[in-house]
Amino acid sequence: MSLPPLSHDELIRYARHLALPHVGVEGQRRLKGARVAIVGAGGLGSPAALYLAAAGVGTIGLVDCDVVDISNLQRQVLHGTDAAGRSKLESARARLRDLNPHVAVETFDTRLSSADALDVLGRFDVVVDGSDNFPTRYLVNDACVLLGKPDVYGAIFRFDGQVAVFDARRGPCYRCLYAEPPPPELVPSCAEGGVLGVLPGIVGSIQGMEAIKLLLGIGEPLVGRLLLVDGLATRFRELTVRKDPECPVCGPNPTVTRLIDYGEFCGYPAPGSGSRDDAEISAGDLVAARARDPELLLVDVRAPVEREIARLAGATHVPLGELAARLSELDGHREVVTYCHRGVRSLRAAEILRAAGFSRVRSLRGGIDAWAREVEPGMARY
């Protein structure tokens, strides 16, 4: 495969790369001819995209379907205040074009799924996983294994981060490290658990560096190694990850030979399955239900720190992890509506209550975030 030439402007722009013995003109031309997909234009995708574009990676593919929210700007440095309310893809494309007009940006306005992952990711040489949920991480991993592509993984939570390169052709995959996903109710999002804004900058930058090393074929990539970042202690540790001979995706006898339903695999409700009247209630309908039945019991299953930000008046607070042990505190004869931040944990709480004999239980669809958007616009959101 012939490598694209460098223009006069590119020779000047990449002068510090050209001086590196591991890069030089040929390496820079290799970067120009390369294609990297970034799943998620958020906290991790922002620094990765910025540094890959600055480095001269010829084509960057961005996969996202979200819009910029003011709460994103504490860490998602691809976007600015003026981009609030705009598509993250539009905002990112404009920023990357300004940073380096020599780079092509391909955008995919989609929530990556089993239906399109192979088609989208199959167009690129390296995949950088900047997603923030387990279904997408397993999806990206499995797609990369099936496609024979390296998956540059990153994850963050509060003050801690992880980075690894999963390349099943020469090492373990993500499933070799995490064979089973954790229960969804035990996995708070960044919005629920918080994240130090600079942390994704560190982790995403390392992901960008790993992608560049893979494209150039230099150094020692994080294959078979999990890098742990402790932001509070400013400490880096490394764990060895070995290939699992029983891995259902990259093992010698795989049982997962096509992409599956990753929401179901990770225990998340299927789209539309929670819309039944006996499972969920909308924010608007909850207003009417409370007016109709003053005895309706609201149960807030969020963490205490979340209640300090916003709460619904009159709600009883029982964190999800304590719910099973505190059932006696709740009146099983009353109609009950559980709620959390966005409706995932409250669905689990409703299941626990129904299993304990509570006959009239529903979960607030979209959680308190939906209530703030639809009922109380002045309520603080997080």
Coordinates of all heavy atoms in Angstrom, one line a residue, residues 282-347:
S282 N -44.4 8.0 33.7 CA -43.8 9.2 33.3 C -43.8 10.3 34.3 O -44.6 10.2 35.3 CB -44.4 9.7 32.0 OG -45.7 10.2 32.2
A283 N -43.0 11.3 34.2 CA -43.0 12.4 35.1 C -44.4 13.1 35.1 O -44.9 13.4 36.2 CB -41.9 13.4 34.7
G284 N -44.9 13.3 33.9 CA -46.2 14.0 33.9 C -47.3 13.2 34.6 O -48.2 13.7 35.3
D285 N -47.3 11.9 34.3 CA -48.3 11.0 35.0 C -48.1 10.9 36.5 O -49.1 10.7 37.2 CB -48.3 9.6 34.3 CG -48.9 9.6 32.9 OD1 -49.6 10.6 32.6 OD2 -48.6 8.6 32.2
L286 N -46.9 11.0 36.9 CA -46.6 11.0 38.4 C -47.2 12.2 39.0 O -47.8 12.1 40.1 CB -45.1 10.9 38.6 CG -44.7 10.9 40.1 CD1 -45.4 9.8 40.9 CD2 -43.2 10.9 40.3
V287 N -47.2 13.4 38.4 CA -47.8 14.6 38.9 C -49.3 14.3 39.1 O -49.9 14.6 40.2 CB -47.6 15.8 38.0 CG1 -48.5 17.0 38.5 CG2 -46.2 16.2 37.9
A288 N -50.0 13.7 38.1 CA -51.4 13.4 38.3 C -51.7 12.4 39.3 O -52.6 12.4 40.1 CB -51.9 13.0 36.9
A289 N -50.8 11.4 39.4 CA -51.0 10.3 40.3 C -50.9 10.8 41.8 O -51.6 10.4 42.7 CB -50.0 9.2 40.1
R290 N -49.9 11.7 42.0 CA -49.8 12.2 43.4 C -51.0 13.1 43.8 O -51.4 13.2 44.9 CB -48.5 13.1 43.5 CG -47.2 12.2 43.3 CD -46.0 13.1 43.5 NE -45.7 13.2 44.9 CZ -44.7 14.0 45.4 NH1 -43.9 14.7 44.5 NH2 -44.5 14.1 46.7
A291 N -51.5 13.8 42.8 CA -52.7 14.7 43.1 C -53.9 13.8 43.4 O -54.7 14.1 44.2 CB -53.0 15.6 41.9
R292 N -54.0 12.6 42.7 CA -55.1 11.7 42.8 C -55.0 10.9 44.1 O -56.0 10.6 44.8 CB -55.1 10.8 41.6 CG -56.3 9.8 41.6 CD -56.3 9.0 40.4 NE -55.1 8.1 40.2 CZ -54.1 8.4 39.3 NH1 -54.3 9.4 38.5 NH2 -53.1 7.6 39.2
D293 N -53.7 10.6 44.5 CA -53.5 9.8 45.7 C -52.4 10.4 46.6 O -51.3 10.1 46.4 CB -53.1 8.4 45.3 CG -52.9 7.4 46.4 OD1 -53.1 7.8 47.6 OD2 -52.4 6.3 46.2
P294 N -52.8 11.2 47.6 CA -51.9 11.9 48.4 C -51.0 10.9 49.2 O -50.0 11.2 49.8 CB -52.7 12.7 49.4 CG -54.0 12.9 48.6 CD -54.2 11.6 47.9
E295 N -51.5 9.6 49.3 CA -50.8 8.6 50.1 C -49.7 7.9 49.3 O -49.0 7.0 49.8 CB -51.7 7.6 50.7 CG -52.7 8.1 51.7 CD -52.0 8.7 52.9 OE1 -51.1 8.0 53.4 OE2 -52.3 9.9 53.3
L296 N -49.6 8.2 48.0 CA -48.6 7.6 47.1 C -47.2 7.7 47.7 O -46.8 8.8 48.2 CB -48.6 8.2 45.7 CG -47.7 7.6 44.7 CD1 -48.4 7.6 43.3 CD2 -46.4 8.3 44.6
L297 N -46.5 6.6 47.8 CA -45.2 6.6 48.4 C -44.1 6.7 47.4 O -43.9 5.9 46.5 CB -45.0 5.3 49.2 CG -43.7 5.1 49.9 CD1 -43.4 6.2 50.9 CD2 -43.6 3.7 50.6
L298 N -43.3 7.8 47.5 CA -42.1 8.0 46.6 C -40.9 7.5 47.3 O -40.7 7.8 48.5 CB -41.9 9.5 46.3 CG -42.7 10.1 45.1 CD1 -42.4 11.6 45.0 CD2 -42.2 9.4 43.8
V299 N -40.1 6.6 46.7 CA -38.9 6.1 47.3 C -37.7 6.5 46.4 O -37.6 6.0 45.3 CB -39.0 4.5 47.4 CG1 -37.7 4.0 48.1 CG2 -40.2 4.1 48.2
D300 N -36.8 7.2 47.0 CA -35.6 7.7 46.4 C -34.5 6.7 46.7 O -34.1 6.5 47.8 CB -35.3 9.1 46.9 CG -34.0 9.7 46.3 OD1 -33.3 9.0 45.5 OD2 -33.7 10.9 46.6
V301 N -34.0 6.0 45.6 CA -33.0 5.0 45.8 C -31.6 5.4 45.5 O -30.7 4.6 45.3 CB -33.4 3.7 45.1 CG1 -34.7 3.1 45.5 CG2 -33.4 3.9 43.6
R302 N -31.4 6.7 45.3 CA -30.1 7.2 45.0 C -29.1 7.3 46.2 O -29.6 7.1 47.3 CB -30.2 8.6 44.4 CG -31.0 8.7 43.1 CD -31.2 10.2 42.7 NE -31.9 10.9 43.8 CZ -31.9 12.2 43.9 NH1 -31.2 12.9 43.1 NH2 -32.6 12.8 44.9
A303 N -27.9 7.6 45.9 CA -26.9 7.7 47.0 C -27.2 9.1 47.7 O -27.7 10.0 47.1 CB -25.5 7.7 46.4
P304 N -26.8 9.2 49.0 CA -27.0 10.4 49.7 C -26.5 11.7 49.0 O -27.1 12.7 49.1 CB -26.3 10.2 51.1 CG -26.4 8.7 51.2 CD -26.2 8.1 49.8
V305 N -25.3 11.6 48.4 CA -24.7 12.7 47.8 C -25.6 13.3 46.6 O -25.6 14.5 46.4 CB -23.3 12.4 47.3 CG1 -23.3 11.4 46.1 CG2 -22.6 13.7 46.9
E306 N -26.3 12.4 46.0 CA -27.2 12.8 44.9 C -28.4 13.6 45.4 O -28.8 14.5 44.8 CB -27.7 11.6 44.1 CG -26.6 10.9 43.4 CD -27.1 9.6 42.6 OE1 -27.6 9.8 41.5 OE2 -26.9 8.5 43.2
R307 N -28.9 13.2 46.6 CA -30.0 13.9 47.2 C -29.6 15.4 47.6 O -30.5 16.2 47.7 CB -30.5 13.2 48.5 CG -31.1 11.9 48.2 CD -31.8 11.3 49.4 NE -33.1 11.9 49.7 CZ -33.4 12.6 50.8 NH1 -32.5 12.7 51.8 NH2 -34.6 13.1 50.9
E308 N -28.3 15.6 47.8 CA -27.9 17.0 48.2 C -28.0 17.9 47.0 O -28.1 19.1 47.1 CB -26.5 16.9 48.7 CG -26.3 16.2 50.0 CD -24.9 16.1 50.4 OE1 -24.0 16.8 49.8 OE2 -24.6 15.4 51.4
I309 N -28.0 17.3 45.8 CA -28.1 18.1 44.6 C -29.6 18.5 44.2 O -29.9 19.6 43.9 CB -27.5 17.4 43.4 CG1 -26.0 17.1 43.7 CG2 -27.6 18.2 42.1 CD1 -25.3 16.2 42.6
A310 N -30.5 17.5 44.3 CA -31.9 17.7 43.9 C -32.7 16.5 44.5 O -32.2 15.4 44.6 CB -32.1 17.7 42.4
R311 N -33.9 16.8 44.9 CA -34.8 15.8 45.5 C -36.2 16.1 45.2 O -36.6 17.3 45.0 CB -34.5 15.6 47.0 CG -35.0 16.8 47.8 CD -34.7 16.6 49.3 NE -33.2 16.6 49.5 CZ -32.7 16.5 50.7 NH1 -33.5 16.2 51.8 NH2 -31.4 16.6 50.9
L312 N -37.1 15.1 45.3 CA -38.5 15.3 45.2 C -39.1 15.4 46.6 O -38.8 14.6 47.4 CB -39.2 14.2 44.4 CG -38.7 14.0 43.0 CD1 -39.6 12.9 42.3 CD2 -38.8 15.2 42.2
A313 N -39.9 16.5 46.8 CA -40.5 16.7 48.1 C -41.3 15.5 48.5 O -42.1 14.9 47.8 CB -41.4 18.0 48.0
G314 N -41.2 15.2 49.8 CA -42.0 14.1 50.4 C -41.5 12.7 50.1 O -42.1 11.7 50.6
A315 N -40.4 12.6 49.5 CA -39.9 11.2 49.1 C -39.2 10.6 50.3 O -38.5 11.3 51.1 CB -38.9 11.3 48.0
T316 N -39.3 9.3 50.4 CA -38.6 8.5 51.4 C -37.2 8.0 50.8 O -37.2 7.5 49.7 CB -39.4 7.3 51.9 OG1 -40.6 7.7 52.5 CG2 -38.6 6.4 52.9
H317 N -36.1 8.2 51.5 CA -34.8 7.9 51.0 C -34.3 6.6 51.5 O -34.1 6.4 52.7 CB -33.8 9.0 51.4 CG -32.5 8.7 50.8 ND1 -31.3 8.9 51.5 CD2 -32.1 8.4 49.5 CE1 -30.3 8.6 50.7 NE2 -30.7 8.3 49.5
V318 N -34.2 5.6 50.6 CA -33.6 4.3 50.9 C -32.7 3.9 49.8 O -33.1 3.5 48.7 CB -34.7 3.2 51.1 CG1 -34.0 1.9 51.5 CG2 -35.8 3.6 52.0
P319 N -31.4 4.1 49.9 CA -30.4 3.8 48.9 C -30.6 2.3 48.4 O -30.9 1.5 49.2 CB -29.0 4.0 49.5 CG -29.3 5.0 50.6 CD -30.7 4.7 51.1
L320 N -30.4 2.1 47.1 CA -30.7 0.8 46.6 C -30.0 -0.3 47.3 O -30.5 -1.4 47.5 CB -30.3 0.8 45.1 CG -30.5 -0.5 44.3 CD1 -32.0 -0.9 44.3 CD2 -30.0 -0.4 42.9
G321 N -28.7 -0.1 47.7 CA -28.0 -1.1 48.4 C -28.5 -1.5 49.7 O -28.2 -2.5 50.3
E322 N -29.4 -0.6 50.3 CA -30.0 -0.9 51.6 C -31.4 -1.4 51.5 O -32.0 -1.7 52.5 CB -29.9 0.4 52.5 CG -28.5 0.9 52.7 CD -28.5 2.3 53.4 OE1 -29.6 2.6 54.0 OE2 -27.5 3.0 53.4
L323 N -32.0 -1.4 50.3 CA -33.4 -1.6 50.2 C -33.9 -2.9 50.7 O -34.8 -3.0 51.5 CB -33.8 -1.4 48.7 CG -35.3 -1.5 48.4 CD1 -36.1 -0.5 49.1 CD2 -35.5 -1.4 46.9
A324 N -33.2 -4.0 50.4 CA -33.6 -5.3 50.8 C -33.6 -5.5 52.3 O -34.5 -6.2 52.8 CB -32.7 -6.4 50.2
A325 N -32.7 -4.7 53.0 CA -32.7 -4.9 54.5 C -33.6 -3.9 55.1 O -33.8 -4.0 56.4 CB -31.3 -4.6 54.9
R326 N -34.2 -3.0 54.4 CA -35.1 -2.0 55.0 C -36.5 -2.0 54.5 O -37.3 -1.1 54.6 CB -34.5 -0.6 54.8 CG -33.1 -0.4 55.5 CD -32.5 0.9 55.1 NE -33.4 2.1 55.5 CZ -33.1 3.3 55.2 NH1 -32.0 3.6 54.6 NH2 -33.9 4.3 55.5
L327 N -37.0 -3.2 54.0 CA -38.3 -3.3 53.5 C -39.4 -3.0 54.5 O -40.5 -2.5 54.2 CB -38.5 -4.7 52.9 CG -37.7 -5.0 51.6 CD1 -37.9 -6.5 51.3 CD2 -38.1 -4.1 50.5
S328 N -39.1 -3.4 55.8 CA -40.1 -3.2 56.8 C -40.4 -1.7 57.1 O -41.4 -1.4 57.7 CB -39.6 -3.8 58.1 OG -38.4 -3.2 58.5
E329 N -39.6 -0.8 56.6 CA -39.8 0.6 56.8 C -40.9 1.2 55.8 O -41.3 2.3 55.9 CB -38.5 1.4 56.6 CG -37.5 1.0 57.6 CD -36.2 1.8 57.4 OE1 -36.2 2.9 56.8 OE2 -35.1 1.3 57.8
L330 N -41.2 0.4 54.8 CA -42.1 0.8 53.7 C -43.5 0.1 53.8 O -43.5 -1.0 54.2 CB -41.5 0.5 52.3 CG -40.1 1.0 52.1 CD1 -39.6 0.6 50.7 CD2 -40.0 2.6 52.2
D331 N -44.5 0.9 53.6 CA -45.9 0.4 53.7 C -46.3 -0.3 52.4 O -46.5 0.3 51.3 CB -46.8 1.6 53.9 CG -48.3 1.1 54.2 OD1 -48.6 -0.1 54.0 OD2 -49.1 2.0 54.7
G332 N -46.4 -1.6 52.4 CA -46.7 -2.4 51.2 C -48.1 -2.3 50.7 O -48.4 -2.8 49.7
H333 N -49.0 -1.6 51.5 CA -50.4 -1.4 51.1 C -50.5 -0.2 50.2 O -51.6 0.0 49.6 CB -51.3 -1.3 52.3 CG -51.3 -2.6 53.1 ND1 -51.8 -3.8 52.7 CD2 -50.7 -2.8 54.4 CE1 -51.6 -4.7 53.7 NE2 -51.0 -4.1 54.7
R334 N -49.5 0.7 50.2 CA -49.6 2.0 49.4 C -49.1 1.8 48.0 O -48.3 0.9 47.8 CB -48.9 3.1 50.1 CG -49.4 3.4 51.5 CD -48.5 4.2 52.3 NE -48.2 5.5 51.8 CZ -47.4 6.4 52.4 NH1 -46.8 6.1 53.5 NH2 -47.1 7.6 51.8
E335 N -49.5 2.6 47.1 CA -48.9 2.6 45.8 C -47.5 3.2 45.9 O -47.3 4.2 46.6 CB -49.7 3.5 44.8 CG -49.1 3.5 43.4 CD -50.0 4.4 42.4 OE1 -51.0 4.9 42.9 OE2 -49.6 4.4 41.3
V336 N -46.5 2.6 45.3 CA -45.1 3.0 45.4 C -44.5 3.4 44.0 O -44.8 2.7 43.0 CB -44.3 1.9 46.0 CG1 -42.8 2.3 46.1 CG2 -44.8 1.5 47.4
V337 N -43.8 4.5 44.0 CA -43.0 4.9 42.8 C -41.6 5.1 43.3 O -41.3 5.9 44.2 CB -43.6 6.2 42.2 CG1 -42.6 6.6 41.0 CG2 -45.0 6.0 41.6
T338 N -40.7 4.3 42.7 CA -39.3 4.4 43.0 C -38.6 5.4 41.9 O -39.1 5.5 40.8 CB -38.6 3.1 42.9 OG1 -38.8 2.5 41.6 CG2 -39.2 2.1 43.9
Y339 N -37.6 6.1 42.4 CA -36.9 6.9 41.4 C -35.4 7.0 41.7 O -35.0 6.8 42.9 CB -37.5 8.3 41.3 CG -37.2 9.3 42.4 CD1 -36.1 10.1 42.3 CD2 -38.1 9.4 43.5 CE1 -35.8 11.0 43.3 CE2 -37.8 10.3 44.5 CZ -36.7 11.1 44.4 OH -36.4 12.0 45.4
C340 N -34.6 7.2 40.7 CA -33.2 7.4 40.8 C -32.8 8.6 39.9 O -33.6 9.5 39.7 CB -32.4 6.1 40.5 SG -32.6 5.5 38.8
H341 N -31.6 8.6 39.4 CA -31.1 9.7 38.5 C -31.8 9.6 37.1 O -32.5 10.5 36.7 CB -29.6 9.6 38.4 CG -29.1 10.8 37.5 ND1 -28.0 10.7 36.7 CD2 -29.5 12.0 37.4 CE1 -27.8 11.8 36.1 NE2 -28.7 12.7 36.5
R342 N -31.7 8.4 36.5 CA -32.2 8.3 35.1 C -33.1 7.1 34.9 O -33.4 6.8 33.8 CB -31.1 8.4 34.1 CG -30.5 9.8 34.0 CD -29.4 9.9 32.9 NE -29.0 11.3 32.8 CZ -27.9 11.7 32.1 NH1 -27.1 10.7 31.6 NH2 -27.6 12.9 32.1
G343 N -33.4 6.4 36.0 CA -34.4 5.3 35.8 C -33.9 3.9 35.8 O -34.7 2.9 35.7
V344 N -32.5 3.7 35.8 CA -32.0 2.3 35.8 C -32.1 1.6 37.2 O -32.6 0.5 37.3 CB -30.6 2.3 35.3 CG1 -30.0 0.9 35.3 CG2 -30.5 2.8 33.8
R345 N -31.5 2.3 38.2 CA -31.5 1.7 39.5 C -33.0 1.6 40.1 O -33.3 0.6 40.8 CB -30.7 2.6 40.5 CG -29.2 2.4 40.2 CD -28.4 3.4 41.0 NE -28.6 4.8 40.5 CZ -28.2 5.9 41.1 NH1 -27.6 5.8 42.3 NH2 -28.4 7.1 40.5
S346 N -33.8 2.5 39.7 CA -35.2 2.5 40.2 C -36.0 1.3 39.7 O -36.9 0.8 40.3 CB -35.9 3.8 40.0 OG -36.0 4.1 38.6
L347 N -35.7 0.9 38.4 CA -36.3 -0.3 37.9 C -35.9 -1.5 38.7 O -36.7 -2.4 39.0 CB -35.9 -0.5 36.4 CG -36.7 0.3 35.4 CD1 -36.0 0.2 34.0 CD2 -38.1 -0.2 35.3

